[in-house]
Amino acid sequence: MNSTNPLELTAPIGQSKKVSKWKKELTIPKILATFLLILATLFFIFPFYWVVSGAFKLQTVATTIPPEWFPAKPTLQNWTELFKNPVERWMFNSFIIAFCEMAAICIVSSCAGYVLAKKSFPGRGIIFTMFVAAMALPKQVILVPLFTMLADFGWVNTYKGLILPAIGWPFGVFLMKQFAQTIPGELIEAAKIDGSSEIRLFGTIILPLLKPAIGALAIFTFITSWNDYFSQLIMTRSTSMMTLPLGVATLRGEFTTNYGLLMAGAALASIPMIAIFLMFQKAFTQGITMGAVKG
Protein backbone atom coordinates (compact mmCIF):
# COMPACT_ATOMS: atom_id res chain seq x y z
CA MET A 1 0.00 0.00 0.00
CA ASN A 2 1.44 3.31 -1.02
CA SER A 3 1.18 6.16 1.53
CA THR A 4 0.81 9.64 0.03
CA ASN A 5 1.27 12.96 1.76
CA PRO A 6 -1.59 15.41 1.04
CA LEU A 7 0.87 18.29 0.84
CA GLU A 8 2.76 16.52 -1.95
CA LEU A 9 -0.49 16.37 -3.91
CA THR A 10 -1.77 19.89 -3.32
CA ALA A 11 1.53 21.67 -4.11
CA PRO A 12 1.91 20.40 -7.68
CA ILE A 13 -1.80 21.01 -8.33
CA GLY A 14 -1.47 24.60 -7.12
CA GLN A 15 1.63 25.11 -9.18
CA SER A 16 -0.01 23.63 -12.27
CA LYS A 17 -2.96 26.02 -11.81
CA LYS A 18 -0.61 28.97 -11.58
CA VAL A 19 1.30 27.82 -14.67
CA SER A 20 -1.91 27.30 -16.66
CA LYS A 21 -3.23 30.73 -15.56
CA TRP A 22 0.09 32.34 -16.49
CA LYS A 23 0.00 30.65 -19.91
CA LYS A 24 -3.60 31.80 -20.41
CA GLU A 25 -2.67 35.43 -19.64
CA LEU A 26 0.48 35.28 -21.80
CA THR A 27 -1.03 36.43 -25.07
CA ILE A 28 0.87 37.62 -28.15
CA PRO A 29 -0.20 41.30 -27.76
CA LYS A 30 1.06 41.27 -24.16
CA ILE A 31 4.38 39.74 -25.22
CA LEU A 32 4.80 42.36 -27.95
CA ALA A 33 3.85 45.18 -25.56
CA THR A 34 6.35 43.94 -22.97
CA PHE A 35 9.06 43.66 -25.62
CA LEU A 36 8.40 47.20 -26.84
CA LEU A 37 8.43 48.55 -23.29
CA ILE A 38 11.78 46.87 -22.62
CA LEU A 39 13.19 48.37 -25.84
CA ALA A 40 11.87 51.83 -24.87
CA THR A 41 13.37 51.50 -21.39
CA LEU A 42 16.78 50.57 -22.81
CA PHE A 43 16.53 53.45 -25.31
CA PHE A 44 15.97 56.03 -22.57
CA ILE A 45 18.45 54.52 -20.11
CA PHE A 46 21.30 54.17 -22.61
CA PRO A 47 22.31 57.91 -22.70
CA PHE A 48 22.62 57.93 -18.91
CA TYR A 49 24.66 54.71 -19.01
CA TRP A 50 26.89 56.19 -21.73
CA VAL A 51 27.53 59.30 -19.62
CA VAL A 52 28.35 57.29 -16.48
CA SER A 53 30.59 54.81 -18.32
CA GLY A 54 32.32 57.64 -20.22
CA ALA A 55 33.14 59.35 -16.91
CA PHE A 56 35.44 56.43 -16.12
CA LYS A 57 37.19 56.30 -19.52
CA LEU A 58 40.34 58.06 -20.65
CA GLN A 59 39.99 60.91 -23.13
CA THR A 60 41.60 58.80 -25.83
CA VAL A 61 39.04 56.03 -25.29
CA ALA A 62 35.86 58.08 -24.70
CA THR A 63 35.58 59.16 -28.34
CA THR A 64 37.05 56.19 -30.20
CA ILE A 65 35.25 54.58 -33.15
CA PRO A 66 34.06 51.86 -32.83
CA PRO A 67 33.05 52.82 -29.29
CA GLU A 68 34.16 50.95 -26.21
CA TRP A 69 30.83 49.91 -24.68
CA PHE A 70 32.32 48.94 -21.30
CA PRO A 71 35.35 50.72 -19.74
CA ALA A 72 38.10 48.11 -20.15
CA LYS A 73 40.46 50.07 -17.90
CA PRO A 74 38.34 52.21 -15.54
CA THR A 75 40.06 55.35 -14.34
CA LEU A 76 39.31 58.19 -11.91
CA GLN A 77 41.39 60.69 -13.87
CA ASN A 78 38.31 62.58 -15.12
CA TRP A 79 36.97 62.97 -11.57
CA THR A 80 40.36 64.17 -10.34
CA GLU A 81 40.48 66.77 -13.12
CA LEU A 82 36.86 67.77 -12.41
CA PHE A 83 37.48 68.55 -8.74
CA LYS A 84 40.45 70.76 -9.61
CA ASN A 85 37.72 73.29 -10.54
CA PRO A 86 35.44 75.01 -7.96
CA VAL A 87 32.89 72.19 -8.23
CA GLU A 88 31.96 72.41 -4.55
CA ARG A 89 31.02 76.09 -4.96
CA TRP A 90 28.99 75.34 -8.10
CA MET A 91 27.14 72.54 -6.32
CA PHE A 92 26.48 74.79 -3.31
CA ASN A 93 25.02 77.48 -5.57
CA SER A 94 22.83 74.93 -7.38
CA PHE A 95 21.55 73.51 -4.08
CA ILE A 96 20.79 76.93 -2.58
CA ILE A 97 18.98 78.17 -5.70
CA ALA A 98 17.07 74.94 -6.41
CA PHE A 99 16.07 74.36 -2.76
CA CYS A 100 14.95 77.97 -2.16
CA GLU A 101 12.98 78.03 -5.41
CA MET A 102 11.38 74.67 -4.58
CA ALA A 103 10.32 75.75 -1.08
CA ALA A 104 9.09 79.19 -2.15
CA ILE A 105 7.18 77.94 -5.19
CA CYS A 106 5.46 75.20 -3.16
CA ILE A 107 4.35 77.69 -0.49
CA VAL A 108 3.23 80.45 -2.89
CA SER A 109 1.54 78.06 -5.32
CA SER A 110 -0.33 76.26 -2.51
CA CYS A 111 -1.73 79.53 -1.16
CA ALA A 112 -2.58 80.94 -4.60
CA GLY A 113 -4.09 77.66 -5.81
CA TYR A 114 -6.29 77.38 -2.71
CA VAL A 115 -7.52 80.96 -3.02
CA LEU A 116 -8.29 80.62 -6.73
CA ALA A 117 -10.08 77.31 -6.17
CA LYS A 118 -12.10 77.98 -3.02
CA LYS A 119 -12.48 81.74 -2.58
CA SER A 120 -14.94 83.90 -4.49
CA PHE A 121 -13.84 87.43 -5.40
CA PRO A 122 -14.20 89.72 -8.43
CA GLY A 123 -11.75 88.98 -11.23
CA ARG A 124 -10.94 85.45 -10.09
CA GLY A 125 -11.58 84.00 -13.53
CA ILE A 126 -9.50 86.70 -15.24
CA ILE A 127 -6.56 86.14 -12.90
CA PHE A 128 -6.63 82.38 -13.47
CA THR A 129 -6.86 82.94 -17.25
CA MET A 130 -3.77 85.15 -17.04
CA PHE A 131 -1.89 82.38 -15.21
CA VAL A 132 -2.88 79.86 -17.89
CA ALA A 133 -1.89 82.29 -20.66
CA ALA A 134 1.47 82.90 -18.95
CA MET A 135 2.21 79.16 -19.20
CA ALA A 136 2.23 79.49 -23.00
CA LEU A 137 4.84 82.26 -22.99
CA PRO A 138 8.44 81.12 -23.50
CA LYS A 139 10.91 82.29 -20.88
CA GLN A 140 13.02 84.10 -23.47
CA VAL A 141 10.20 86.60 -24.10
CA ILE A 142 10.44 88.17 -20.64
CA LEU A 143 14.17 87.75 -20.16
CA VAL A 144 15.28 91.16 -21.51
CA PRO A 145 12.82 93.29 -19.45
CA LEU A 146 13.47 91.06 -16.46
CA PHE A 147 17.22 91.52 -16.74
CA THR A 148 16.78 95.30 -17.10
CA MET A 149 14.62 95.44 -13.99
CA LEU A 150 17.03 93.30 -11.94
CA ALA A 151 19.97 95.40 -13.13
CA ASP A 152 18.16 98.53 -11.88
CA PHE A 153 17.68 96.81 -8.51
CA GLY A 154 21.35 95.78 -8.42
CA TRP A 155 20.39 92.11 -8.17
CA VAL A 156 22.38 90.77 -11.14
CA ASN A 157 24.93 88.13 -10.09
CA THR A 158 23.21 87.67 -6.70
CA TYR A 159 21.11 84.93 -5.12
CA LYS A 160 18.13 87.30 -4.99
CA GLY A 161 18.27 87.86 -8.73
CA LEU A 162 18.50 84.14 -9.39
CA ILE A 163 15.76 82.98 -6.97
CA LEU A 164 13.03 85.63 -6.65
CA PRO A 165 11.97 85.93 -10.34
CA ALA A 166 11.25 82.18 -10.46
CA ILE A 167 8.87 82.09 -7.49
CA GLY A 168 5.73 83.12 -9.40
CA TRP A 169 5.64 79.95 -11.52
CA PRO A 170 2.29 79.81 -13.40
CA PHE A 171 2.42 76.03 -13.77
CA GLY A 172 2.70 75.62 -9.98
CA VAL A 173 -0.38 77.79 -9.37
CA PHE A 174 -2.30 75.95 -12.07
CA LEU A 175 -1.37 72.53 -10.64
CA MET A 176 -2.27 73.42 -7.05
CA LYS A 177 -5.53 75.08 -8.11
CA GLN A 178 -6.60 71.94 -9.92
CA PHE A 179 -5.87 69.81 -6.85
CA ALA A 180 -7.48 72.25 -4.42
CA GLN A 181 -10.72 72.04 -6.41
CA THR A 182 -11.04 68.38 -5.42
CA ILE A 183 -11.26 69.27 -1.70
CA PRO A 184 -14.92 69.09 -0.57
CA GLY A 185 -16.41 72.46 0.30
CA GLU A 186 -18.37 70.84 3.14
CA LEU A 187 -15.11 70.04 4.89
CA ILE A 188 -14.08 73.69 4.82
CA GLU A 189 -17.50 74.85 6.00
CA ALA A 190 -17.44 72.35 8.89
CA ALA A 191 -14.05 73.64 10.01
CA LYS A 192 -15.33 77.23 9.94
CA ILE A 193 -18.39 76.26 12.00
CA ASP A 194 -16.03 74.73 14.58
CA GLY A 195 -14.37 78.15 14.88
CA SER A 196 -11.21 77.47 12.86
CA SER A 197 -9.44 80.57 11.57
CA GLU A 198 -8.29 80.85 7.95
CA ILE A 199 -4.64 80.29 8.85
CA ARG A 200 -5.43 77.27 11.01
CA LEU A 201 -7.81 75.90 8.38
CA PHE A 202 -5.14 76.20 5.70
CA GLY A 203 -2.36 74.76 7.86
CA THR A 204 -4.19 71.84 9.49
CA ILE A 205 -6.70 70.79 6.81
CA ILE A 206 -5.82 72.13 3.36
CA LEU A 207 -2.06 71.59 3.39
CA PRO A 208 -2.21 67.90 4.50
CA LEU A 209 -4.76 67.21 1.76
CA LEU A 210 -2.50 68.90 -0.80
CA LYS A 211 0.58 66.92 0.29
CA PRO A 212 0.67 64.58 -2.78
CA ALA A 213 0.35 67.54 -5.14
CA ILE A 214 3.05 69.44 -3.24
CA GLY A 215 5.35 66.42 -3.56
CA ALA A 216 4.85 66.30 -7.32
CA LEU A 217 5.34 70.08 -7.59
CA ALA A 218 8.52 69.87 -5.49
CA ILE A 219 10.06 67.36 -7.91
CA PHE A 220 9.05 69.38 -10.97
CA THR A 221 10.41 72.58 -9.41
CA PHE A 222 13.73 71.16 -8.23
CA ILE A 223 14.50 69.46 -11.54
CA THR A 224 13.51 72.56 -13.53
CA SER A 225 15.65 74.83 -11.38
CA TRP A 226 18.60 72.43 -11.28
CA ASN A 227 18.63 72.04 -15.08
CA ASP A 228 18.02 75.72 -15.81
CA TYR A 229 20.85 77.01 -17.95
CA PHE A 230 19.72 79.98 -20.01
CA SER A 231 18.38 82.21 -17.23
CA GLN A 232 21.30 81.50 -14.93
CA LEU A 233 23.75 82.19 -17.77
CA ILE A 234 22.22 85.65 -18.26
CA MET A 235 22.00 86.49 -14.55
CA THR A 236 25.53 85.46 -13.47
CA ARG A 237 28.74 87.32 -14.07
CA SER A 238 31.40 85.59 -11.96
CA THR A 239 32.70 82.03 -11.65
CA SER A 240 31.84 81.99 -7.94
CA MET A 241 28.13 82.52 -8.69
CA MET A 242 27.90 79.85 -11.37
CA THR A 243 25.70 76.82 -10.87
CA LEU A 244 26.85 73.29 -11.65
CA PRO A 245 25.41 73.12 -15.21
CA LEU A 246 27.05 76.45 -16.04
CA GLY A 247 30.34 75.40 -14.49
CA VAL A 248 30.40 72.08 -16.35
CA ALA A 249 29.74 73.92 -19.62
CA THR A 250 32.84 76.07 -19.05
CA LEU A 251 35.01 72.96 -18.98
CA ARG A 252 34.86 72.80 -22.77
CA GLY A 253 38.19 73.83 -24.26
CA GLU A 254 38.58 76.48 -26.94
CA PHE A 255 40.14 74.11 -29.47
CA THR A 256 39.76 70.63 -27.92
CA THR A 257 37.20 69.16 -25.55
CA ASN A 258 37.81 66.49 -22.91
CA TYR A 259 34.56 64.54 -23.23
CA GLY A 260 35.47 62.24 -20.35
CA LEU A 261 35.71 65.30 -18.09
CA LEU A 262 32.36 66.63 -19.34
CA MET A 263 30.72 63.25 -18.77
CA ALA A 264 32.05 63.17 -15.21
CA GLY A 265 30.50 66.60 -14.62
CA ALA A 266 27.20 65.54 -16.17
CA ALA A 267 27.12 62.37 -14.07
CA LEU A 268 27.79 64.41 -10.91
CA ALA A 269 25.02 66.88 -11.82
CA SER A 270 22.47 64.07 -12.23
CA ILE A 271 23.01 62.56 -8.76
CA PRO A 272 20.96 65.16 -6.77
CA MET A 273 18.02 64.90 -9.17
CA ILE A 274 17.92 61.12 -8.76
CA ALA A 275 18.12 61.50 -4.97
CA ILE A 276 15.26 64.05 -4.90
CA PHE A 277 13.09 61.83 -7.07
CA LEU A 278 13.69 58.81 -4.82
CA MET A 279 12.89 60.91 -1.71
CA PHE A 280 9.56 62.20 -3.09
CA GLN A 281 8.73 59.21 -5.28
CA LYS A 282 5.73 58.10 -3.21
CA ALA A 283 4.18 61.57 -3.07
CA PHE A 284 4.97 62.11 -6.75
CA THR A 285 3.15 58.90 -7.73
CA GLN A 286 0.16 59.77 -5.54
CA GLY A 287 0.03 63.28 -6.99
CA ILE A 288 0.10 62.09 -10.59
CA THR A 289 -2.51 59.39 -9.83
CA MET A 290 -4.85 61.85 -8.12
CA GLY A 291 -4.52 64.23 -11.01
CA ALA A 292 -5.28 61.46 -13.50
CA VAL A 293 -8.34 60.24 -11.59
CA LYS A 294 -9.87 63.50 -10.43
CA GLY A 295 -8.71 65.67 -13.35
Side-chain angles (χ1 to χ4, degrees), residues 35-270:
F35 180 70
L36 291 176
L37 286 175
I38 292 173
L39 282 182
T41 303
L42 293 176
F43 177 77
F44 286 109
I45 286 180
F46 180 76
F48 180 70
Y49 164 75
W50 189 249
V51 168
V52 174
S53 64
F56 294 95
K57 296 176 185 174
L58 292 172
Q59 162 67 6
T60 54
V61 179
T63 56
T64 55
I65 299 176
E68 185 178 280
W69 300 108
F70 300 97
K73 296 179 180 179
T75 177
L76 295 177
Q77 181 179 344
N78 295 321
W79 297 91
T80 305
E81 291 292 327
L82 178 65
F83 279 93
K84 288 180 181 177
N85 299 281
V87 176
E88 297 87 352
R89 178 68 186 183
W90 297 341
M91 288 193 69
F92 176 77
N93 292 337
S94 291
F95 268 114
I96 289 294
I97 294 169
F99 182 79
C100 291
E101 284 187 7
M102 180 182 70
I105 288 176
C106 287
I107 294 172
V108 172
S109 299
S110 300
C111 297
Y114 168 67
V115 170
L116 288 173
K118 294 298 179 184
K119 298 296 181 183
S120 297
F121 56 89
R124 184 179 69 166
I126 297 174
I127 293 174
F128 181 67
T129 303
M130 292 174 64
F131 272 108
V132 175
M135 291 170 58
L137 288 176
K139 186 182 297 183
Q140 290 79 4
V141 173
I142 63 171
L143 202 56
V144 173
L146 180 64
F147 177 80
T148 305
M149 186 174 66
L150 294 179
D152 293 338
F153 291 164
W155 287 3
V156 175
N157 204 39
T158 63
Y159 287 122
K160 289 182 293 187
L162 290 166
I163 295 172
L164 292 180
I167 291 178
W169 196 24
F171 173 74
V173 178
F174 173 79
L175 181 68
M176 300 308 294
K177 192 254 184 186
Q178 297 303 107
F179 275 91
Q181 280 182 334
T182 63
I183 299 174
E186 295 80 4
L187 186 64
I188 299 174
E189 293 299 325
K192 288 182 179 179
I193 292 173
D194 288 341
S196 178
S197 63
E198 284 291 342
I199 296 177
R200 185 180 177 186
L201 169 65
F202 183 75
T204 59
I205 296 178
I206 303 300
L207 274 183
L209 293 175
L210 292 178
K211 195 189 304 182
I214 294 174
L217 181 61
I219 291 180
F220 285 135
T221 309
F222 189 90
I223 292 177
T224 302
S225 175
W226 187 272
N227 288 329
D228 190 13
Y229 179 84
F230 190 65
S231 301
Q232 295 171 0
L233 176 65
I234 299 299
M235 297 300 174
T236 53
R237 288 289 180 271
S238 62
T239 305
S240 61
M241 282 302 297
M242 284 184 177
T243 56
L244 190 56
L246 286 180
V248 171
T250 61
L251 300 180
R252 297 180 60 184
E254 185 176 359
F255 301 104
T256 59
T257 300
N258 187 342
Y259 288 100
L261 179 62
L262 288 179
M263 290 182 183
L268 180 65
S270 64

Side-chain angles (χ1 to χ4, degrees), residues 259-281:
Y259 288 100
L261 179 62
L262 288 179
M263 290 182 183
L268 180 65
S270 64
I271 293 175
M273 288 189 293
I274 297 173
I276 287 291
F277 178 77
L278 293 177
M279 287 170 57
F280 293 96
Q281 184 181 12

